[in-house]
Amino acid sequence: GENSSSITEATYTILAPLTTMDQIFAKATAVGSTATSVEITFDNWVVSAVKEDGKTAFVTDGTKGFVIFDKDLNLGFSVGNILSGTVACKVQLYNGFAELTELKSSTTGLTVSTGGTITTQELDATAIEALTGVNTGSLIKINGICSSTDSKYYVADVQIYTSLYDFETLEVGAEYNITGIYQQYHSTQEM
């Protein structure tokens, strides 16, 4: 008989780790509410805020950022931690911002060091509309915001959450300078 052979070819796509905030946000946006496995190379990004429960950390590159969340683990991050290294985790779009899950401070490849500083972005009140979910985690100072409602929780269209601010002093039409960690929750802008 004749000698015949067949060759089977397989094509594999090797995905490079995500290395920028824009790439992370684009991946989160692309997958909607479904958590997708990714590799991310952290580029000395800084933890800008940690919620009291220890399960949520905001991370920024100075102008953009994302949220790390894990309902079952205490992440152990502190404000000023510098995150570097390449890690496997999941990313999804959640309430308008990019959320990383299944990542913890002991993840292989993640280096956590201290001494990071967070640069404050100073914006004037007209720049509020330009902020989006990709800016979550950034430290923003907005100058010249007018209180547009008699609600004690709102200044212009930004909802303010803080125990350090005397809400009762807000007056309709008065101007305020507000500094805080920005996030977009659904379509609501919050600090």
Side-chain angles (χ1 to χ4, degrees), residues 71-143:
K71 64 182 178 181
D72 300 318
L73 297 169
N74 185 333
L75 298 170
F77 296 137
S78 299
V79 172
N81 281 159
I82 301 168
L83 307 181
S84 58
T86 301
V87 299
C89 60
K90 292 189 176 180
V91 64
Q92 66 181 351
L93 186 68
Y94 184 75
N95 292 317
F97 52 80
E99 178 183 78
L100 276 55
T101 59
E102 298 185 26
L103 182 148
K104 53 188 179 293
S105 57
S106 61
T107 299
T108 301
L110 178 64
T111 300
V112 180
S113 54
T114 59
T117 57
I118 305 158
T119 304
T120 304
Q121 296 178 70
E122 287 206 37
L123 304 174
D124 116 348
T126 59
I128 294 172
E129 292 178 6
L131 298 173
T132 67
V134 75
N135 299 112
T136 287
S138 299
L139 182 63
I140 306 285
K141 180 179 182 183
I142 303 178
N143 298 310

Side-chain angles (χ1 to χ4, degrees), residues 4 11 106 183 191:
S4 65
T11 303
S106 61
Q183 77 169 352
M191 289 178 71

Side-chain angles (χ1 to χ4, degrees), residues 152-165:
K152 62 184 182 178
Y153 298 107
Y154 286 88
V155 175
D157 294 322
V158 178
Q159 189 164 3
I160 309 297
Y161 293 100
T162 176
S163 59
L164 302 177
Y165 198 90

